[in-house]
Amino acid sequence: MILVDRTTRPLTLTPFGLALRNRGAILSEELCNLKAQVLDAGRGVKPDLRIGLVDSFAATCGSAFTRQMLGRVAQLSVRTGLSPQQGESLLRRDLDLIITSDPLMDANDVVRYRLFTERYFVITPKALDKPLQSLDDLRALANVLPVVRFNRLSQVGLQIERHMRGLGVRMPNRLELDNADALTAMVADGIGWAVTSPMCFLQACTWVENVTAHLVPQLSLERSLYLVARRNEYSAFFADACETARNVILDTFLPRLSALGKGVETLVTIDEEDSREYF
Amino acid sequence: MPAGKLIDMYAVQVFVAVTEEGSMSGAASRMGISQSGCRRWFGNWRTISA
């Protein structure tokens, strides 16, 4: 039985070849899952794990999370980066578990757990002694001071951009940065104002003394961080990781946020333990 | 693939990679092997015996 028609360029598959490819792809996928499924069946066996952490989580909670995870795995490899890259790596099997702001809603065969939700707020240079309470105040600010924005290739940057456009706040593109630390530093230095999240704010804790935080209720923009893994792989371990990450948020992240003394910890909400969401 | 021989799962993976990627270079990159190695594995799949 001929599998490949070599008289055409590019070569094409015969019906036999198509059957082999389609069934072979399923078998290959199963093979890739084999190790995780065997480890899962053994439960007590410690896996080698590759974890991806979104930058803001890595900078604020990464060390506490990693320290606790180390006791549960044989070998741990941690990679940090932007959420879209983490998601792609998980689906490509370059990573086994990710903490990300992108729940990969379009992907089948992944399981997600929401760690917490945080509302965005506005930061301005401390020298700019002017309270911001409404969207009109924000529009007025946008007319006199440039916005310092997150890179629009990042999940946060894209989300803020879309939302502000929806609210009718026009923000000319002058300066964009790819990390929260540099963004807050620019604001602290008086270059402009920015929209940021509590976790990104904590990431830049060196600079927070020189900025003013404005919790503008009408901004009504929020993001959640999720723990995401491939479904039915390392499932016992996934539950452990969720518990660990939740404890790190409660015991490390929130107290450190409160210690900043800016009131931004009130923007963070965590699901009750009995209503946690796996989907 | 000759009759009676067990099907090699690695060969299946190479076949899937070549047909999904559409090129030897893409498949070799996906499998982490050389193009000539990839061509050799794929060559085994010219026909399958009943």
Side-chain angles (χ1 to χ4, degrees):
Chain A
M1 288 168 285
I2 308 289
L3 297 171
V4 181
D5 181 357
R6 287 167 191 271
T7 60
T8 61
R9 281 288 176 275
L11 51 82
T12 51
L13 296 174
T14 66
F16 298 112
L18 276 173
L20 177 62
R21 187 188 66 184
N22 294 341
R23 292 174 199 187
I26 295 168
L27 284 172
S28 291
E29 183 69 16
E30 283 290 308
L31 261 188
C32 291
N33 292 349
L34 190 59
K35 182 181 166 196
Q37 286 170 351
V38 168
L39 286 173
D40 237 13
R43 294 287 156 111
V45 180
K46 290 180 174 181
D48 300 343
L49 208 72
R50 300 161 302 173
I51 297 181
L53 304 177
V54 68
D55 283 328
S56 55
F57 184 88
T60 53
C61 304
S63 59
F65 180 70
T66 305
R67 188 168 49 243
Q68 295 189 38
M69 294 301 286
L70 269 176
R72 299 189 163 102
V73 296
Q75 195 179 356
L76 186 62
S77 155
V78 179
R79 197 185 303 169
T80 63
L82 299 176
S83 286
Q85 297 156 0
Q86 306 288 13
E88 283 170 20
S89 297
L90 178 77
L91 298 177
R92 261 201 327 264
R93 296 186 165 279
D94 290 339
L95 293 172
D96 300 311
L97 187 148
I98 58 174
I99 291 183
T100 171
S101 58
D102 178 4
L104 301 179
M105 293 309 287
D106 293 332
N108 296 322
D109 301 326
V110 299
V111 60
R112 311 156 183 95
Y113 167 69
R114 188 167 60 212
L115 282 175
F116 70 96
T117 301
E118 57 179 0
R119 277 169 42 215
Y120 289 93
F121 61 102
V122 175
I123 52 173
T124 56
K126 199 171 184 181
L128 186 87
D129 190 20
K130 199 176 174 186
L132 293 178
Q133 281 156 350
S134 67
L135 289 180
D136 284 338
D137 292 344
L138 208 55
R139 288 188 191 102
L141 176 69
N143 286 332
V144 294
L145 199 65
V147 65
V148 184
R149 48 167 37 105
F150 281 102
N151 185 314
R152 279 170 290 177
L153 293 178
S154 70
Q155 186 82 4
V156 176
L158 198 63
Q159 190 190 9
I160 293 172
E161 183 69 23
R162 282 181 183 155
H163 189 75
M164 297 304 267
R165 198 177 300 148
L167 291 176
V169 180
R170 286 177 51 81
M171 308 190 301
N173 188 20
R174 297 280 302 281
L175 175 62
E176 63 176 49
L177 296 150
D178 63 358
N179 75 76
D181 202 18
L183 176 126
T184 312
M186 299 291 163
V187 175
D189 208 32
I191 290 176
W193 61 280
V195 177
T196 190
S197 80
M199 185 164 262
C200 294
F201 195 51
L202 183 62
Q203 185 181 349
C205 58
T206 325
W207 309 101
V208 300
E209 277 312 307
N210 292 323
V211 303
T212 308
H214 307 269
L215 318 186
V216 185
Q218 288 176 325
L219 196 56
S220 60
L221 173 63
E222 62 182 32
R223 73 163 183 170
S224 297
L225 279 203
Y226 301 86
L227 215 140
V228 187
R230 290 182 297 274
R231 196 175 288 277
N232 298 328
E233 293 181 31
Y234 301 116
S235 44
F237 186 80
F238 182 73
D240 259 4
C242 292
E243 198 60 40
T244 303
R246 181 185 164 84
N247 290 340
V248 168
I249 295 296
L250 288 169
D251 302 338
T252 305
F253 173 58
L254 284 178
R256 286 184 62 203
L257 209 52
S258 299
L260 295 179
K262 301 280 185 179
V264 293
E265 68 280 2
T266 57
L267 302 176
V268 177
T269 51
I270 302 177
D271 295 341
E272 291 301 317
E273 200 157 2
D274 56 359
S275 65
R276 282 180 293 166
E277 190 177 359
Y278 288 92
F279 58 103
Chain B
M1 218 24 80
K5 188 177 174 189
L6 279 176
I7 288 183
D8 188 325
M9 268 317 295
Y10 189 75
V12 173
Q13 286 182 296
V14 173
F15 185 86
V16 170
V18 172
T19 53
E20 285 185 350
E21 297 289 337
S23 70
M24 287 296 161
S25 57
S29 165
R30 189 205 281 197
M31 298 298 295
I33 58 177
S34 67
Q35 277 194 52
S36 58
C38 192
R39 192 167 288 114
R40 216 165 28 247
W41 279 102
F42 186 70
N44 288 337
W45 276 119
R46 201 159 300 185
T47 60
I48 190 163
S49 308

